[in-house]
Amino acid sequence: MARIPDAFIDELLARTDIVEVVGTRVPLKRQGKEYSACCPFHDERSPSFTVSPTKQFYHCFGCGAHGTALSFLMNYDRLEFLDAVEELARRNGMEVPKETQHRNVSDDSRELYAALDSSARFFQRQLETSDKARAYLDGRGVDAAIRTQFSIGYAPDGFSVLKEALGTDERRVKLLDRAGMLSKNDRGHVYDKFRDRVMFPIHDRRGRVIAFGGRVLDKDDGPKYLNSPETVLFHKGRELYGLWQVRQANQKIARLIVVEGYMDVVSLFQYGVTQAVATLGTATTPDHAELLFRNAPDVYFCFDGDAAGERAAWRALESVLPRMKDGRQAFFLFLPQGEDPDTIVRKEGVAGFDARLHDATPLSQFFFDELSKDIRLSTLDGKARLAERAKPLLAQIPDGAFGDLMKQRLTEITGVGAQLPPPSPATTTRRPINAATKPSLVRSTIVRLLHKPSLALALEPPYGFAGLRQPGVELLIELLDIVRTRPDITTGALLEHFSEREELAALQKLAMQAIPGDEDSWRTELLDAVAQLERQSLQQRLDELQAKQRNMGLDEADKYELRVLLLARAGRVHTIG
């Protein structure tokens, strides 16, 4: 599978002014050599978000968010990696390598997108000429602005209206079929899949039409909702209806409200609740949960208050639980019998709907309430059963405060997991308190390279410390090699090389670590640190040879190397041959 070459990413980030990218979305204030603002990724009153134009890097000292212009677009604009690359490339007048474009959007996919877009525009034109479809939307209170915002249309009654309009030849008919717009009966006859339905285009995260949902006008005319089949562009377990519109309507999405139907989303938007999305005729999947939390910290699941609604809520909880990192919240709102978000917002208005959301059940409460339903918690047996049910689920929660508090709550309810009293002071073993250790030479060298990558050019390979057995030496050499390959690389671009590596978080923190001095003093400190590392490497080899001499003796080559190393340590030999 093709990937974007590292050299292209380096050049892209080198040409990109991160201050400009961030500044068009977040109001930045200059502070010395850097810029600051209140963090766009968490709520705060005093600025802790910093953007460095020299490093082409941002960092929040409050929540820990950090990265390059690419990761900022991915997190703030909620773009996929390839989409963020294409966005920056457009800004800088660069063309993404063709092999990458092929991976992202093949010629076949482009034709499918075009066919679906043509279908959407066809349905919108048909809505303008259909009195009964417009009357239905008028009756539901959907005005012209919302119809345009959601590109709502109408599929005419008839078995081949769309096919005859857009399937002008055999190739186009096959294209419409692959896009999910046609069906075929047992006799092989091909006909329009959607007929006499109000049409709701489903958009992907870039606003492209990838599928449709159609609602009947008469409840007796087949299933209430009909969705596109799965295609190469559309996987219902990965998409959310209305997410594109939510992104367009909200600069910052504080919450997402998950409802069940297209009209629920549209009606909530009509009344000013512009954070509603819907699953596409399927239960909440793990992909849905990840997508929801990637876009908002708080997620509200809105279900009917009957048994089916509770089952759907529990399936949503099972998908959400492994993704409940600290800072994320999930709630469950159960509506009265016979009501849905559409009817509630009409009867009670936005204030009434918001009040219900305010009183929604937190995930933690719903979790223990559901697991305890058929258990007598007044008995030891019942408490043990609850613990047995809860523990495997709680183990799925990521490490952090929320997971700790959920386990603590289980202990409060059942007593399981309660710790024994601590030992008496007389038997407690006291450990000496160590003073803060000085940062290692390897670490301090890496810090200076991250602050000014071009410092690596002051060192010539092969590096005399390459064989030193110390943590971080291999990483240091990798950083030196990257910079020597690309001498103009910035801090941000350098970090992009580790975007999928476990070292990334540590490197990002080191890149934002404040160090005194300027470029000249950093170069002097780096050269001094490397000289010390080389001396340590020399001593390490000396120790190995002397240990070998004591245990099994040395051959002539070893004896020669030992003499040279001893002379080098004494300062009488500058290089070791």
Side-chain angles (χ1 to χ4, degrees):
M1 184 176 287
R3 63 186 296 272
I4 299 180
D6 290 339
F8 180 82
I9 296 295
D10 292 344
E11 184 180 359
L12 180 65
L13 291 174
R15 289 197 196 183
T16 298
D17 181 359
I18 192 172
V19 174
E20 180 185 350
V21 173
V22 177
T24 58
R25 295 159 173 82
V26 179
L28 295 174
K29 183 177 180 180
R30 191 177 188 102
Q31 287 190 336
K33 296 180 180 180
E34 299 180 336
Y35 293 80
S36 68
C38 288
C39 181
F41 302 117
H42 81 287
D43 294 326
E44 62 177 5
R45 295 182 180 178
S46 57
S48 61
F49 181 80
T50 299
V51 180
S52 171
T54 56
K55 300 172 188 172
Q56 290 294 299
F57 187 71
Y58 70 88
H59 181 83
C60 176
F61 292 94
C63 69
H66 40 225
T68 64
L70 273 177
S71 54
F72 183 83
L73 287 180
M74 292 170 67
N75 292 316
Y76 190 85
D77 287 1
R78 295 168 289 275
L79 298 179
E80 300 293 335
F81 174 73
L82 288 173
D83 297 333
V85 169
E86 290 181 351
E87 173 66 20
L88 286 186
R90 280 195 295 270
R91 292 172 64 98
N92 290 286
M94 299 172 66
E95 185 175 348
V96 179
K98 290 182 178 179
E99 65 270 18
T100 303
Q101 291 178 337
H102 181 75
R103 173 191 172 186
N104 200 19
V105 184
S106 66
D107 291 339
D108 183 60
S109 294
R110 286 194 187 93
E111 289 190 329
L112 288 174
Y113 284 123
L116 290 161
D117 182 66
S118 297
S119 299
R121 286 187 278 110
F122 172 80
F123 292 141
Q124 287 176 277
R125 291 194 299 270
Q126 296 301 310
L127 179 63
E128 296 173 3
T129 61
S130 173
D131 292 337
K132 68 174 181 177
R134 293 199 313 277
Y136 169 80
L137 292 171
D138 290 341
R140 300 296 297 266
V142 181
D143 64 21
I146 293 293
R147 297 177 198 180
T148 300
Q149 185 176 9
F150 284 86
S151 305
I152 297 173
Y154 170 67
D157 198 4
F159 281 90
S160 59
V161 182
L162 176 72
K163 188 180 77 167
E164 290 177 359
L166 302 182
T168 52
D169 55 42
E170 185 179 353
R171 187 184 69 84
R172 291 182 180 275
V173 169
K174 290 181 178 178
L175 191 63
L176 288 171
D177 184 43
R178 293 207 313 277
M181 303 308 299
L182 303 177
S183 294
K184 184 183 294 186
N185 62 19
D186 295 338
R187 291 172 293 176
H189 180 69
V190 176
Y191 55 93
D192 292 354
K193 183 175 186 65
F194 299 98
R195 303 180 304 281
D196 195 22
R197 289 176 180 267
V198 173
M199 298 298 291
F200 300 88
I202 300 163
H203 298 83
D204 67 6
R205 276 147 261 186
R206 293 180 61 184
R208 299 171 297 193
V209 178
I210 55 174
F212 291 90
R215 192 195 191 284
V216 294
L217 298 177
D218 187 336
K219 63 182 180 180
D220 295 327
D221 291 342
K224 182 177 179 180
Y225 283 105
L226 181 64
N227 295 321
S228 291
E230 302 249 330
T231 67
V232 295
L233 302 183
F234 175 58
H235 304 279
K236 62 183 179 182
R238 300 178 192 169
E239 304 294 340
L240 293 166
Y241 176 73
L243 184 57
W244 165 252
Q245 285 79 8
V246 170
R247 287 174 170 174
Q248 299 307 300
N250 299 271
Q251 185 176 24
K252 183 177 182 180
I253 306 173
R255 68 181 185 184
L256 281 173
I257 305 161
V258 184
V259 295
E260 294 189 78
Y262 302 105
M263 277 305 305
D264 292 325
V265 173
V266 170
S267 293
L268 288 173
F269 264 77
Q270 181 72 62
Y271 279 81
V273 182
T274 60
Q275 304 89 29
V277 296
T279 54
L280 302 168
T282 182
T284 305
T285 67
D287 284 333
H288 286 146
E290 189 62 43
L291 184 57
L292 289 164
F293 279 127
R294 194 189 304 165
N295 284 274
D298 294 354
V299 177
Y300 292 78
F301 293 95
C302 195
F303 294 105
D304 295 339
D306 56 14
E310 289 189 3
R311 287 194 298 271
W314 184 256
R315 287 195 293 271
L317 180 144
E318 289 178 320
S319 293
V320 164
L321 205 61
R323 289 153 186 84
M324 288 297 293
K325 300 176 183 177
D326 288 349
R328 295 176 171 182
Q329 297 186 100
F331 302 88
F332 296 87
L333 172 60
F334 296 100
L335 299 178
Q337 189 78 21
E339 301 283 6
D340 56 33
D342 181 17
T343 59
I344 289 289
V345 77
R346 292 174 189 281
K347 292 178 182 178
E348 302 177 3
V350 176
F353 188 73
D354 278 340
R356 289 182 178 272
L357 290 175
H358 182 269
D359 294 334
T361 304
L363 178 147
S364 55
Q365 180 182 334
F366 179 59
F367 177 86
F368 287 109
D369 286 350
E370 281 296 296
L371 289 184
S372 304
K373 266 189 173 179
D374 58 348
I375 293 176
R376 292 174 57 191
L377 287 175
S378 59
T379 68
L380 292 178
D381 308 66
K383 291 177 179 179
R385 177 170 293 180
L386 175 60
E388 179 188 17
R389 291 179 179 178
K391 279 187 173 182
L393 294 168
L394 295 181
Q396 299 176 27
I397 301 175
D399 291 340
F402 178 72
D404 292 343
L405 290 170
M406 288 288 282
K407 292 168 188 172
Q408 180 180 316
R409 179 61 182 147
L410 178 63
T411 298
E412 292 170 358
I413 297 172
T414 66
V416 175
Q419 295 182 350
L420 296 173
S424 64
T427 60
T428 300
T429 302
R430 299 185 63 183
R431 295 184 178 181
I433 299 175
N434 296 325
T437 57
K438 183 179 179 181
S440 72
L441 289 171
V442 175
R443 179 188 176 96
S444 62
T445 304
I446 289 175
V447 168
R448 280 150 184 79
L449 284 176
L450 290 173
H451 278 65
K452 191 68 177 178
S454 61
L455 292 176
L457 303 177
L459 303 174
E460 290 289 338
Y463 307 110
F465 58 86
L468 186 61
R469 292 188 296 275
Q470 281 190 16
V473 168
E474 291 184 2
L475 178 60
L476 171 57
I477 293 174
E478 185 175 359
L479 290 168
L480 292 169
D481 288 343
I482 291 171
V483 178
R484 293 201 68 83
T485 304
R486 298 185 175 88
D488 298 324
I489 196 169
T490 63
T491 301
L494 184 58
L495 291 172
E496 279 297 327
H497 283 270
F498 299 88
S499 61
E500 298 180 0
R501 303 246 310 258
E502 61 181 13
E503 298 97 330
L504 177 63
L507 288 174
Q508 287 174 322
K509 290 178 181 178
L510 293 178
M512 291 307 297
Q513 179 179 311
I515 56 174
D518 54 20
E519 183 177 342
D520 290 337
S521 65
W522 296 343
R523 180 180 288 104
T524 300
E525 292 162 359
L526 180 140
L527 292 173
D528 179 63
V530 168
Q532 292 185 60
L533 290 173
E534 289 178 344
R535 287 195 292 272
Q536 291 178 9
S537 181
L538 183 151
Q539 185 61 50
Q540 175 184 283
R541 181 57 180 158
L542 269 175
D543 293 343
E544 291 172 353
L545 288 171
Q546 289 171 339
K548 182 178 180 182
Q549 185 179 41
R550 290 191 301 270
N551 296 328
M552 55 188 298
L554 302 177
D555 58 24
E556 290 304 315
D558 291 337
K559 291 176 182 178
Y560 174 76
E561 183 184 0
L562 179 60
R563 286 195 298 271
V564 172
L565 291 174
L566 288 169
L567 289 171
R569 187 176 65 174
R572 294 168 62 183
V573 176
H574 181 66
T575 59
I576 302 173

